[in-house]
Structure formats: structure tokens, C-alpha cells
Amino acid sequence: MPQAASWAGTPAIKGSTEAIRMALLTFSLVGLQFTWGIEMTYCTPYLLQLGLTKSKTSLVWIAGPLSGLVMGPVVGVLADNSKSKYGRRRPFMIGGAVIVSMGLLVLGWTAEIVGFFIPESELRRLFTIILAVLCIYLVDFAINAIQSSCRSLIVDTLPIPKQQKGSAWATRMIAVGHLAGYGVSTVDLLKILGKTLGDTQFKQCCVIAAAMLLTSVGVTSWAVEERILLSSRDADVKSGAVKLIGKILSTAWHLPDRIRAICWVQFWAWIGWFPFLFYSTTWVGETYFRYTPEASIADSTDPLGDIGRIGSLSLLIFSVVTFIGSVILPFVVQSPENEAKSGRRNFTPRPPPAIAPIATFLSKTKPDLLTSWMLSHILFAGAMFLAPFVRSLHMATVLVSICGIPWALACWAPFAYMGIEVNRMTAPSTILANGSSYRRLPTPSDDFSAPAPSPSFLRLNHLDRDIDDDEEDPETSTGETAGIYLGILNLFTTLPQFVGTFISMVVFEILEPGKHPELHKGENVDGDGEDDVVKKVTEGPNAIAVCLFIGAVCAVGAAYATQRMKMMY
């Protein structure tokens, strides 16, 4: 008979209330999204300022999907089988945070580092670009390792009925991270801090992002106590890289139907989200300087900072909408657990008093999560279909802000359903080191902290091993294989980004093949000997807007895939 996995200890989270425990469990995502926000805001215009064309810049952003393609499943499998005394996820989170912080600091000072070794010349500019690109790759690979571990930690720690709530809290923390990141980006840090953290906006944002990431990951790692894996199942014993890759490919090829459906929705949705997340800040800044008569970047001493700040203002509003949606939506959208149970324990969580009347009214006719997810794809598509026709900063800001609601659901729904499906599959096969089976006892209040031995800790319930397997509670949570399945979900998040990168490269090469006009003002950007900046700024379609339009078409495909998934529930 195959040997089951054995464990020491039980998952625990510090905190006297459920809200505090959920916040501590997901707090690492604040720093993670803050860092993403800074990278998305400044790295594209930074590379353009260094002299790369938009088509070449799009190739640099292959770093994002490539790192997700590699790091998601690989770190997931390695962490699933880790027997570290510090837990399976936290060592990867902490190690990744240190690497990202170092990469951010080098990225902010690439010109100075290269200039220390190479005098002013074309060679110096070339090596500055190379070092900046290498830093972006390093940051992206490490961020994906952290993200995979943070998401898996949530699945590992929470029982099935709390998976949606954990995913909803993760969405809130992501929104808080975006709010903080874009909020910092909209402020002129040089006027507030002087040159204490650097002599440009970008440098100061890099320092703050590094500090935020280390702090947030440190808080979650301190607050969460993981179970320690003593021995893996016989089928999971590692035998080198070939076995590791083979397991990933085999699992991806034989996905359960519902998990496969989740992955395909994610695939189509992320072709649409890719240009929005990577280029929307630059698009808004370009729209302002290209179509606002009184706007001029000619007198700017920091064009990179100006474009970043203007674009960040719209994304700050986007983040506010996302945060509001992440707070309200869980009270007005039916839980997937309640959908599956067809009414068993079908209730609405008690909302904050300020929104209680609205939540009570909507709870009577509230949509299920899949329907809401499908409608969010349609809303996103409708907004991005209008992108090529935008000619004002206000309209661009409105369209970006509307996408906050779809983004709230994009950060919530796939992980909520994936957490539930993973735990349903893995729950019956887990055995603790003391010979007891790991499973959850449902309580009338569904409060998973009820059996905690101390009011300041969350500990999950365990029963004796000799209970029959067919009596296993389907609400048990082990997250035993959470890493590999979430890694595969990450594959379906990153593969479409390769598609998005290819589309962006082609569009940029056709519509805007030269250097970026706003960041190279007064230069002969196309080599014809004439000053053609005005013509380039005001004529022709905006290449990024065209990419957003193509993404909208793919979002319609995501809505169709979600409708098909809905037929399985």
C-alpha cells in the first residue's frame, strides 16, 4: 500500500480575530503588488528613455511570462516537497524578497553603476540597457517565486469553506498594494524627501518598494506557522530534474475538468490583461501629452517621472475602485461553496454597518461568482474597445478606472475556485506524524478559529486516524499539492503573456517603429534628418491603444470560456 504523506504540527495564524488573521496571512501581497505597481509604472518609460523602441521594449517584457512559466510550477513542486523546519512556503518567500530588493536597488542605479566602470560613450549606454534588462529579469523571476509561495500558503492554511474568504482578502491586499504603489508614484517624492533616497523619482520608488516588500513578507512569515512535511507520498518522492519536469507535464496534461476550465478562462483573460497591466500607465501619459494642447514635456527636467506620475493618477483611481470592489463584492456575490452545496449553509457574511442595507437587499438576488466573473470580462472588453478613440486624459482615466471592478474579480475568482478544487482532491490522503487524519470539523458558525487552544492563534481541527475514509469531510483542507496546481494555473496566466508580447511587438513595429518621441524630445527619432516629433506625437493611432483593443477581443473569449465553465457547476 502506498505510503501517505506525514506531517508535524498544524497550520496556525497569529491574531485574536478572524479579520486580523486573514490580514496577516495575506499581508505579503501588499508589498508584492506595490513592487509590481512600481515596475509597471516606471520600467516601460525607463527603457524607452534609455533609447529602446517600443517593439524592443515589448521583447524585454517577455521576462514576465517567461519567469511565470518557469518559476510558478518549479517553485510549486519544490515547495510541495520541501522538508525545511521553517515550512514549505516561507523560505521561498523570504529568499525571493531579498533577491527582488537587491535587483530593485541595482535597477534604480544602473546608469551610475555602469558609469563607474565605463566612461561616457555609446558603449556605456549599451551596457546600461543590458544591466537594466538583466535586473528586470531577476526581479520578475524572484517575484514569481514569491507570488507562487504566497498563494500556496493561503491554500495550505485555510479549510475549504474559508478558501473564498482567503482569496477575497488576498484581492483586498492586492488592491491595497496597488493603491500604495500608484499613490507613491503620483507624488513628487523629490519635493517631499529631497534627494535622501535618490536624485530621481524612479530611484526613490525603487528604494521604497524594496523596503515594502521585505516588511510585508516578513510580517506574514512571522504570523503564519506552517506544518512541517516529514515524508512525502511514495508517488511524490523526488528523483531529480527529469522527474520534476515529468510530474509538471503529466499533471498539466491530465488536469481535472473543472481545473482545466479555470485555466482556459485564465488563458483568454490574460491576453487581454497583459497590455493593460504593462502599458496602461504609459498610454495615459502619452494621451495627455499628445492630445492636450497646453501640455508640454519640452521643459520637463524629469520626463520619465512626469509620464509616470500622470499615468499613475489614473491607476490610483483604478486601485481605489479595485479595493472598494474587493470589500463589497464578497457580500453581494454568492460563495462557490454555497453554489456547490445547493443551499447548505447558504448565508451572507455579516457586512460592515455602513453597507449593511445594500448588502441585505442584494443578497436576495445576488449572482453567483461565476456569473460575476463572466460579466467582469464583458465590462473589461467594453472599456478597452473604446481605447483607440480616446483623445483626452479624462476619458483615458475613466476607462482605466472602470477596469478596477473586473480586476478585483480577476484576482479573486480563479484562486477561490482553484483552492476549493485542490483541497477537494487532496484532503482524504493526508496523515499526520502523530497518526491522526487531517480534516476539518464544521461548526454552526463556520468559524474556523473556534477550536483554537489560544485566542491569539488559529489552529485547524484534527481527528483520529481510525475514522473511515468514506466519512472524510469534504471541507478538509490540506493543500498538499497546492503548489503544483497553482503553478499550472500560473502557466495559463503566463503563456498568454507570450501571445500578448508577440501582438504588442508587431503592433509597435508597424505603428511606432522609432524611438519614443516624448522621451526623446527634439531628436531626429527616425533618422531622416528632420525634426518630426510633432508629427509623431499628434498623428496616427496610438499603438498601445490598438493593443488594448485586441486585448478586449480576447476578453470576450474569456467570457465565453467562463460561460462554458458555469455549465460544470
Side-chain angles (χ1 to χ4, degrees):
M1 181 176 178
Q3 178 65 43
S6 60
W7 308 84
T10 56
I13 309 172
K14 292 180 172 66
S16 57
T17 66
E18 182 178 82
I20 293 176
R21 291 190 291 267
M22 288 290 190
L24 291 173
L25 174 63
T26 56
F27 189 69
S28 57
L29 295 172
V30 174
L32 190 68
Q33 291 305 313
F34 185 97
T35 304
W36 272 122
I38 297 300
E39 185 179 17
M40 296 302 98
T41 299
Y42 286 105
C43 283
T44 294
Y46 180 57
L47 293 172
L48 294 173
Q49 187 182 51
L50 291 177
L52 290 182
T53 63
K54 280 188 176 179
S55 60
K56 291 180 180 178
T57 300
S58 68
L59 290 177
V60 173
W61 287 123
I62 288 179
L66 183 63
S67 59
L69 184 68
V70 174
M71 298 304 288
V74 170
V75 169
V77 173
L78 292 176
D80 283 345
N81 292 280
S82 172
K83 298 181 178 66
S84 169
K85 64 179 181 179
Y86 301 107
R88 297 189 298 166
R89 315 298 178 187
R90 289 177 295 174
F92 288 94
M93 291 166 59
I94 295 172
V98 172
I99 293 173
V100 170
S101 300
M102 294 172 60
L104 285 172
L105 296 178
V106 175
L107 181 62
W109 276 264
T110 49
E112 287 78 3
I113 293 173
V114 173
F116 183 79
F117 298 98
I118 303 176
E120 188 68 41
S121 64
E122 183 62 24
L123 184 64
R124 176 177 175 177
R125 188 184 71 85
L126 175 62
F127 274 91
T128 300
I129 293 174
I130 292 174
L131 181 58
V133 171
L134 290 176
C135 286
I136 289 174
Y137 271 72
L138 178 68
V139 168
D140 277 3
F141 271 76
I143 280 182
N144 271 283
I146 302 170
Q147 181 171 266
S148 174
S149 300
C150 290
R151 286 291 188 175
S152 296
L153 185 65
I154 297 172
V155 176
D156 288 351
T157 306
L158 299 178
I160 289 178
K162 295 298 178 182
Q163 288 294 329
Q164 173 174 294
K165 182 169 287 188
S167 188
W169 269 93
T171 303
R172 292 167 190 163
M173 292 301 174
I174 288 172
V176 170
H178 276 306
L179 268 172
Y182 295 130
V184 167
S185 298
T186 59
V187 176
D188 191 339
L189 295 175
L190 289 174
K191 289 183 178 179
I192 298 175
L193 302 176
K195 297 183 179 181
T196 306
L197 302 179
D199 56 5
T200 67
Q201 180 89 357
F202 180 52
K203 290 177 180 178
Q204 298 203 7
C205 285
C206 286
V207 173
I208 295 172
M212 281 284 293
L213 182 62
L214 289 172
T215 301
S216 62
V217 169
V219 168
T220 294
S221 299
W222 163 79
V224 179
E225 178 185 336
E226 296 185 73
R227 293 180 302 156
I228 307 303
L229 179 63
L230 300 179
S231 63
S232 302
R233 293 181 300 178
D234 289 345
D236 291 339
V237 176
K238 295 180 290 184
S239 60
V242 174
K243 180 68 176 290
L244 174 66
I245 295 173
K247 179 177 180 179
I248 294 171
L249 294 177
S250 175
T251 305
W253 188 259
H254 299 95
L255 290 175
D257 290 341
R258 289 183 177 180
I259 290 182
R260 182 181 292 108
I262 296 169
C263 290
W264 278 112
V265 173
Q266 194 80 333
F267 179 87
W268 287 105
W270 268 86
I271 298 179
W273 281 113
F274 175 80
F276 180 90
L277 295 175
F278 280 79
Y279 302 121
S280 57
T281 303
T282 307
W283 173 61
V284 172
E286 287 180 351
T287 300
Y288 175 71
F289 285 112
R290 293 186 182 194
Y291 302 115
T292 304
E294 66 273 15
S296 174
I297 204 169
D299 300 325
S300 174
T301 58
D302 186 12
L304 169 63
D306 288 342
I307 285 183
R309 279 192 294 273
I310 292 169
S312 293
L313 180 59
S314 64
L315 286 171
L316 176 63
I317 301 173
F318 161 85
S319 299
V320 171
V321 174
T322 300
F323 179 74
I324 293 173
S326 68
V327 172
I328 293 179
L329 285 173
F331 297 112
V332 298
V333 174
Q334 185 177 345
S335 164
E337 267 303 294
N338 291 336
E339 299 166 30
K341 296 175 184 177
S342 301
R344 177 187 171 191
R345 241 185 353 255
N346 188 10
F347 64 93
T348 301
R350 181 174 298 173
I355 64 171
I358 299 175
T360 302
F361 171 77
L362 293 176
S363 67
K364 299 177 181 178
T365 56
K366 60 184 178 181
D368 57 72
L369 184 55
L370 274 176
T371 300
S372 302
W373 196 14
M374 180 184 68
L375 293 176
S376 74
H377 297 313
I378 296 173
L379 179 60
F380 176 74
M384 293 299 98
F385 275 133
L386 299 175
F389 309 103
V390 171
R391 293 296 182 272
S392 71
L393 174 63
H394 296 302
M395 188 60 184
T397 301
V398 168
L399 293 185
V400 170
S401 301
I402 287 174
C403 295
I405 294 176
W407 181 243
L409 283 155
C411 295
W412 170 24
F415 298 100
Y417 281 105
M418 184 64 77
I420 290 170
E421 295 303 325
V422 167
N423 279 315
R424 281 175 176 166
M425 288 188 302
T426 60
S429 63
T430 304
I431 299 174
L432 296 174
N434 61 4
S436 63
S437 174
Y438 174 81
R439 70 176 193 154
R440 179 183 178 278
L441 279 173
T443 64
S445 63
D446 204 24
D447 184 356
F448 65 113
S449 64
S454 166
S456 62
F457 281 86
L458 157 68
R459 292 190 181 276
L460 303 181
N461 294 325
H462 300 74
L463 290 182
D464 292 338
R465 182 179 178 178
D466 57 3
I467 296 178
D468 294 338
D469 288 343
D470 57 2
E471 295 178 6
E472 288 286 347
D473 192 330
E475 294 174 352
T476 305
S477 171
T478 70
E480 186 176 339
T481 57
I484 188 169
Y485 280 108
L486 288 174
I488 290 171
L489 178 64
N490 199 42
L491 283 179
F492 281 82
T493 302
T494 55
L495 287 175
Q497 294 179 49
F498 284 104
V499 178
T501 297
F502 177 76
I503 293 172
S504 300
M505 180 183 65
V506 172
V507 171
F508 292 154
E509 188 63 34
I510 294 173
L511 297 180
E512 297 182 19
K515 290 183 179 180
H516 193 277
E518 283 82 13
L519 295 175
H520 292 270
K521 53 186 184 297
E523 295 184 16
N524 174 29
V525 294
D526 62 2
D528 63 3
E530 298 179 0
D531 183 4
D532 54 357
V533 172
V534 174
K535 176 181 176 181
K536 280 186 172 293
V537 170
T538 59
E539 294 183 3
N542 184 294
I544 295 178
V546 173
C547 294
L548 295 174
F549 181 90
I550 296 172
V553 176
C554 296
V556 174
Y560 174 72
T562 309
Q563 176 60 31
R564 294 196 59 174
M565 176 181 166
K566 186 175 172 62
M567 297 171 63
M568 300 180 180
Y569 283 83

